[in-house]
Each structure stands twice: as structure tokens, then as C-alpha cells.
Amino acid sequence: MASIQIRRYRDADDEAVKEIFTMGISEHVPSSFMHILKQPPTQMVLMCVFCALMTSSKSFLLPILAVTLLLAGARQFVVYVFNRYIDASLEKDLNDIKGTYLEKKDSCFWVAEVEERVVGIVACLPNEKTPACLELKRMSVLRSHRGMGIAKTLCRTVAGFTRDRGYAAVVLYTSVVQTDAQKLYEHMGFEKIREFVVPEIAAKIINFTLIEYRLDLQKVVKSD
């Protein structure tokens, strides 16, 4: 198995980091679309449209076409939302990783390399709402290199960095559709703290929730 090297971000990593982040986020479009379809308001709208058109047209063709167009529109809406999130993330910190993470106290950005290729990323910085914790952010690993323990190594890197700087815990936020990430964090010892709906109106309508996880480093030390 190829060796994994974790190191601090360098300017030459910029393009690879943005590609890994963008690809990782875009992977969740299908699962987010399915999440929307499972919500009662969505099913109610589709059923009402189908029944209304079926009654008025007395034909299956028109309601089926209308529902198909609504589904296509819903999927495009999901793509639009994810693209907006990617653009906002690039603008917020990934366009200036050095200024956001490397030049600020108790913050850092790492990349994982396999055979001199950047295949994974992770970052951390002080959590705005909980000063005693560092927040794990932007973790993603190329699909082609998953199953090698890279994500676990990145998590341990953040935990070690957090412990060395005297913080009590690591916190992170993930979405309800990122089930693989949830399994990883729970396997690494993170505990689910709460679930909450994203404040945007559209998110409330489709019940799109975020999950907060916390890794208590004192518990980890005792278990070790």
C-alpha cells in the first residue's frame, strides 16, 4: 500500500485543493435530491399536480410530463444550491487559505499526499460559538483514494493539533445526507450533539438538517 504523507498546505496546492473540495461537495447532489423527494411537502405537491392534471386532461401523458419537468427542475435547484455553496466557500476561505488558516493563531490547513499527489484535505480553526473548541472543516478525500485510512489520518491530525494547543475538544458540522461522513466521525469517537435545520426558508421547507459532532479529547486520552 502506498504511504500517506500529511503536511501543511503550500501555495502550489491551490488548484488541487479546490478541485478536491468541489468534487467532494458535488458528490452529494444525488443524495440531497433524494432527500427532497422523501419529504412530505414535496410528495404532496407532486401528487396534487398529478391528480389535478389527470382530472382536467383525462390523460396520463400531461400529468406524467408535468411531474417529470418538476423533478428535473428540483434537481437543477439542488445543483444551483450546491454551486452557490461551493462559490461561497471559495470566497470565504479557500481563495485565501494562507490568510484564513496559516497566518492565524490556532488554525491550520493540511493536505494528504500519496505518491506526491494531493488526494485529501482538512483544516481547523477556533469555533466561533465555543471558544474552548477547534472546528474541523473542509475535510474531503478523492473517491479514488478512499478506503486507505486517509480520512482517519486527517481526523487524528486535527485532534493532535487541537490537543497540543490546550483545547478541550474538536467540533464539526456535517449534513444529514452525508451518511458516510457520519459513520466515519462516530467511528473516530465523535459524539452527536444536536441536529438543527439550516436557517434558509428553502432548507426549512425540505427539512434539510445539519448535525453537530464533538470529540472530547479528555475522553480520548482516558480511553487511550
Side-chain angles (χ1 to χ4, degrees):
M1 181 179 292
S3 62
I4 304 166
Q5 178 187 359
I6 308 297
R7 61 169 176 77
R8 281 167 57 95
Y9 169 88
R10 296 194 290 253
D11 289 341
D13 303 322
D14 181 68
E15 185 174 339
V17 166
K18 291 177 180 178
E19 179 182 5
I20 292 170
F21 173 75
T22 300
M23 291 176 64
I25 294 298
S26 299
E27 286 178 3
H28 300 301
V29 168
S31 57
S32 297
F33 177 59
M34 291 304 300
H35 175 77
I36 290 177
L37 294 185
K38 293 177 182 178
Q39 301 309 305
T42 305
Q43 296 177 0
M44 185 181 301
V45 169
L46 293 175
M47 182 61 69
C48 288
V49 169
F50 184 88
C51 291
L53 291 176
M54 183 70 183
T55 301
S56 61
S57 66
K58 300 186 185 303
S59 168
F60 277 105
L61 183 59
L62 183 58
I64 289 175
L65 178 60
V67 169
T68 300
L69 290 174
L70 284 174
L71 291 175
R75 193 180 191 286
Q76 285 302 115
F77 172 73
V78 173
V79 172
Y80 168 75
V81 170
F82 272 77
N83 286 338
R84 279 194 61 185
Y85 174 75
I86 290 171
D87 290 342
S89 299
L90 292 174
E91 183 66 27
K92 182 179 180 181
D93 57 75
L94 292 180
N95 282 336
D96 184 21
I97 292 175
K98 183 178 292 185
T100 304
Y101 296 102
L102 302 184
E103 296 177 351
K104 291 186 177 180
K105 183 181 179 182
D106 297 336
S107 303
C108 197
F109 197 105
W110 298 269
V111 301
E113 275 190 336
V114 174
E115 297 178 344
E116 299 184 354
R117 179 189 179 191
V118 176
V119 299
I121 59 174
V122 74
C124 73
L125 44 65
N127 182 263
E128 295 179 356
K129 297 181 179 179
T130 313
C133 303
L134 291 189
E135 180 180 346
L136 184 152
K137 297 176 66 69
R138 307 306 185 209
M139 188 164 78
S140 187
V141 177
L142 286 177
R143 181 180 290 274
S144 59
H145 287 74
R146 292 174 190 170
M148 299 172 61
I150 295 173
K152 293 178 181 178
T153 303
L154 291 170
C155 278
R156 293 190 186 102
T157 299
V158 172
F161 180 89
T162 303
R163 184 186 295 111
D164 291 345
R165 278 150 185 79
Y167 286 82
V170 179
V171 297
L172 62 86
Y173 303 93
T174 189
S175 72
V176 67
V177 301
Q178 293 176 275
T179 53
D180 288 342
Q182 294 168 36
K183 292 176 183 176
L184 167 69
Y185 299 137
E186 290 168 11
H187 177 77
M188 296 297 295
F190 284 83
E191 297 180 351
K192 186 183 294 186
I193 302 301
R194 65 185 176 115
E195 295 188 23
F196 58 98
V197 178
V198 180
E200 283 77 7
I201 295 178
K204 290 182 178 180
I205 293 174
I206 62 174
N207 193 33
F208 193 85
T209 58
L210 293 181
I211 304 173
E212 179 181 351
Y213 279 95
R214 176 186 173 107
L215 178 66
D216 189 327
L217 296 175
Q218 292 181 342
K219 289 183 180 179
V220 173
V221 171
K222 290 179 181 179
S223 64
D224 289 345

